Amino acid sequence: MPKQRNTKLEALLVEFGYTHQQLADEVNQTAQDVFGKPTQCTDRHVRRWIAGNVQWPWSRYLLPLQQIFGRSPEAMGFIPRNSSRVPAPPRRSAPVKEERPVRRREFIAAGLAAALGLDAIPSAGRLGTADVERIRAIVPALYNHDHALGGGALHTVAEQALRFVHYALNHCTYGSRVERALYAATGDLAASAGWFAYDAGLQEDATSLYSEALQAGMLAGDGMLQARVWSNLAMQARLLDRDQEALRIGRAAVETRQAKADPWLMSLLHCRQAVGHARVGERARAERSLARAESAYDRTNGEPAAWLSFLTPAELTGLAGATHQALGRYGQAQELTASALDMLEPRFERNRVYYTVQSAQALLDGGEVEQAVAEAGRATAIGERVQSERVQGKLDGLRQQMRRHAHVPAAADFLEQTRRTGA
């Protein structure tokens, strides 16, 4: 069979922001976790995979690649032979201390800063549509890592990118048509940087970036961008325990023409409104919002915008669980959250931590202390792999509530263990 270029793997490198050497380094680091020792992957291996010279890599490379991209070998463009199979990772005789998450965050953040191609954004001269597209491509590249790493690893990279774009806006020339597109792309980047700052616990930075995004959205005449920012501002208000303000902002977003025209956005907005209504005890309105969210999601088709790529059936189910949790229906909340975790794709690592904590919380509130402790233990273990102050705060709150059950041996053991490890 003649060799065929692996365009799927090539696209994944672009999507995740890897150079050939960076992916080889990441394969070696991931292999340390999978096999207990690194492989000897080089950029030459990566080039051969992409060129189609190697259609099915050795398992010592294939398993790390699955971990990195969260996809099956076939989805990465590899072609199995009749005897090809992916073996299970080898079992280890003793647990290995987890030091890799911080290294991985630093590695990817540093790699992204280089791979985003910020130096290619002109600092003088005239900007055209190709420059706008280059700026637009920054946001999807960042969001691919946000789902796994959390905003704590990305907000500085996003703000660095925004500085490059600001410089171009203020030192280059461009026509009116390009100007509108530039403001839309800049607002998209500012809104994304605001989300990463929000997730990292930097609420003042998030507010400032959201304000910039709103202004850019108005200058660009981009109603969708403005509706997106209103949605994020509602989430931030809820995080700060300003529930009525969050509901008012969310209601304004739902009423926008852009939200009514985009079922992806409308579904998300109604889900978040459902949680908000539940938090203030409005049961009927919460249930009505959940029904509207499902109805809107049924009308979706194609692919959503990059920032909405997390909106899957698992996310809708998890938010329904959060709604029932806020209404005090702990059994139903736990069932829905468990279902969401079952459906959640591997690439959504931060959301896995978030919903594992939610599951533990529902079990604890429902009086199932020992089961809650088991879920909390799982959340703590996988929580080390993401950098999200928002998720960490949720886990800290669960641990504080666990103190009320310190008379239960399992809870006492969990509290002591997390105290010793600083988790």
Side-chain angles (χ1 to χ4, degrees), residues 132-188:
V132 174
E133 290 308 310
R134 187 177 293 114
I135 295 169
R136 284 193 180 280
I138 294 172
V139 169
L142 290 170
Y143 268 102
N144 283 321
H145 292 292
D146 173 59
H147 298 314
L149 297 176
L154 298 175
H155 72 92
T156 55
V157 181
E159 290 181 16
Q160 180 185 357
L162 198 57
R163 286 193 293 272
F164 274 82
V165 174
H166 283 160
Y167 193 91
L169 279 169
N170 289 305
H171 293 85
C172 297
T173 60
Y174 34 83
S176 58
R177 184 170 62 86
V178 170
E179 180 182 53
R180 284 173 65 95
L182 278 170
Y183 276 119
T186 303
D188 189 25

Side-chain angles (χ1 to χ4, degrees), residues 13 62 156 212 288 322 361 375 386-387 391:
L13 263 72
L62 200 52
T156 55
E212 178 182 339
R288 194 154 52 242
Q361 185 70 65
E375 285 286 84
V386 300
Q387 192 172 347
V391 173

Side-chain angles (χ1 to χ4, degrees), residues 208-223:
S208 175
L209 288 160
Y210 287 154
S211 177
E212 178 182 339
L214 273 178
Q215 179 177 312
M218 287 186 286
L219 290 170
D222 190 335

Side-chain angles (χ1 to χ4, degrees), residues 20-93:
H20 293 168
Q21 185 58 56
Q22 287 168 351
L23 179 59
D25 291 342
E26 183 73 349
V27 167
N28 291 331
Q29 291 280 4
T30 305
Q32 180 72 50
D33 288 347
V34 176
F35 300 107
K37 61 181 180 180
T39 60
Q40 301 298 317
C41 186
T42 68
D43 61 332
R44 180 173 176 271
H45 288 92
V46 179
R47 287 196 300 272
R48 283 172 58 80
W49 298 336
I50 290 174
N53 293 329
V54 175
Q55 296 186 333
W56 190 266
W58 294 105
S59 60
R60 62 177 176 268
Y61 302 130
L62 200 52
L63 281 166
L65 285 169
Q66 287 183 274
Q67 293 277 342
I68 292 165
F69 292 122
R71 287 165 171 79
S72 68
E74 291 82 359
M76 291 186 286
F78 296 119
I79 302 172
R81 299 179 294 272
N82 290 336
S83 59
S84 297
R85 65 186 182 90
V86 182
R91 294 186 178 182
R92 295 183 183 174
S93 57

Side-chain angles (χ1 to χ4, degrees), residues 245-264:
E245 177 184 335
L247 282 169
R248 285 193 295 271
I249 295 173
R251 194 176 304 121
V254 166
E255 291 301 318
T256 61
R257 176 173 55 84
Q258 288 73 23
K260 291 177 180 178
D262 188 328
W264 291 100

